[in-house]
Amino acid sequence: MAENPGQNAAEVRFAGVTKTFNTGLTAISKLDLDIRAGEFLTLLGPSGSGKTTALNLLAGFQAPTTGQILVDGNDISGLPPHKRNIGVVFQHYALFPHMTVRENVSYPLKQRRVGKAEMARQVDDALRMVSLQAYGDRLPRQLSGGQQQRVAVARAIVFRPRLLLMDEPLGALDRKLREAVQLELKRIHRDLGATIVFVTHDQDEALVMSDRIAIFDAGKIQQIGTAEELYDRPATQFVAQFLGESNIFTGSLRRHGDTCSIDSPDGVIRSGTVADTLAGDDAAIVVRPERCRLFERGKAPDDWNSVDAWVSDIVYLGALRKVLLTLASGETAVVICQPDVEIPAGPEVTLGFPVSAARTVTAQWN
Amino acid sequence: MDEEKPTSLFARRLLVVTVTLTALWLILPLLVIVPISFSGENSFAFPPRTWTLQRYVDLAQPMWIGALINSLVIASLVAVGASFLGTLTSFAITRSTSRLIVIVRALVLAPQVVPIIIVGLGIYLVFLRLDLNGSYVGFVLAHTVLALPFVVIPVAATLQTFDRDLERASASLGAGPIATFIQVTFPIIRPALLSGTFLAFLSSFDELVLALFLQSPSLVTLPVLLYRRMTDTIDPTVAAVATIQLLFVTTCMIIALFLQRRKDSNDQAPAAET
């Protein structure tokens, strides 16, 4: 984040925003979201979860059915997109094909009637920021995909917007290039200090880049927080399954003061926590695969949760190994372990994990 | 394509022969008119036995000049009108969400499928009431209806594949709807619009059937005059006009092809890696 966020960065608030299309489809329902000045916020979710609609509403490409969108406290609902002063980077670049790189990048300055000399200076700065100084006279189609996306970024930041929106901007790039551009975007975010709202369905991308992540599903935010918060303390089964891998046990809940347990088909699973928001008796307990260990059948520590399991496969991932298990109930489970950890001779084993690693979440997510 | 079988050589030769014959079949009748235009005889006999430039001198008569000017004026107005209306129609067809737009599309493209003689008769009867027969306005209106598809088809096709994100991008960068149209949308549909306008001009310039209905002694277009001089008097001056038209259209086509090729070679410039 910039030294003094707020100066170059806008603060955004969605207040009870609903968007229903003519077709009757509700893309977003009663969305409340506060985006802090200068933060890199990622909207993460499966396709059709409403994250892109949220972005389009903010950019002004669509109008909310009800609710307000405030930027720095001002309702911008009545402003057309060209008066919002928000930079947008599109998934498929949306570079003007008949203009050179320089003409593309000077476009927003031309609309603002910036003087010639000043324009040249700012365009140079923006092109330098994305390392494309030498490509000013090329046409977009003469550039590679990664270069085109960098031009799109330069064009969106050259007029120093205080809010920058990116809609799956790396979706069309191959993996290696994507990682390079991710780091470059983080650096640009630091240099620019602007608030960035980034849409993606790629959880790794979200984890690498974001200050905070908002997880969308079915038009609602399921949970918002830092990557760490979401990964370690998922609030719902959906979040636990969407972000990273999880072993999940479902059943009816029993509360024991500050702790709880559930009666799952694979036995009683104890958890160190009760989710405050938990309503009803249907709950799930999730545990991350790297917090699990494998033991010879019946040899798990007494104060751990233990479940009978059968090894169905072992996958070598280079730095790690992934053991795929089948449980007595027919459910599957995964254990991820370091290569130096010994895996007991199977196939009959016991899956064990500390009670403190088991987290209670809401079972239904809609 | 390197490992071609021996039979494909035969197939390729057959293709060359077929294409050449077809081309000759199409072009020879056109080319016959060229020597005839220099014929010294007062007929269309081929091949000519004597030679003269008299046909071309005869073209200076007010009758021919007047018809040519009428045709040029009408065709130019039609080109302008059809490109303007055609562009608007194309936007409507490709962007309207109304279900009735299907009807508009069908109506606009109808002149391409309805027999021209029926269109001609219909327009003639309506224009009788409106007193538009034999007037510039009548000609321009009627020919614009015919020319509209030549503009709508290529422009709508371009708009169909047009990336709407370009317009959103332009808006997000600070350009209002009009500025966006001028700077982004129009330059991208311009090639299609230009070729459509060119075809609209030509469609009016050599249109005969409607013109026969709409003509009056005071307003005769070039195709009408050519037709009359052929059917009434067998005037070889027609051959001279035809030769000039042939030359003109061929030149236009060659220029268009040349421009197209230059654009294509630009498009194929290699993409550079960092």
Side-chain angles (χ1 to χ4, degrees), chain B residues 64-81:
Chain B
W64 290 106
I65 302 280
L68 175 66
I69 289 175
N70 285 342
S71 275
L72 283 177
V73 169
I74 291 167
S76 304
L77 291 174
V78 166
V80 171

Side-chain angles (χ1 to χ4, degrees), chain A residues 113-133:
Chain A
R113 312 205 187 288
V114 173
K116 266 225 167 85
E118 181 61 18
M119 191 188 297
R121 198 185 59 74
Q122 292 184 16
V123 171
D124 284 338
D125 279 353
L127 286 178
R128 195 174 309 120
M129 222 160 171
V130 296
S131 325
L132 283 177
Q133 302 97 304

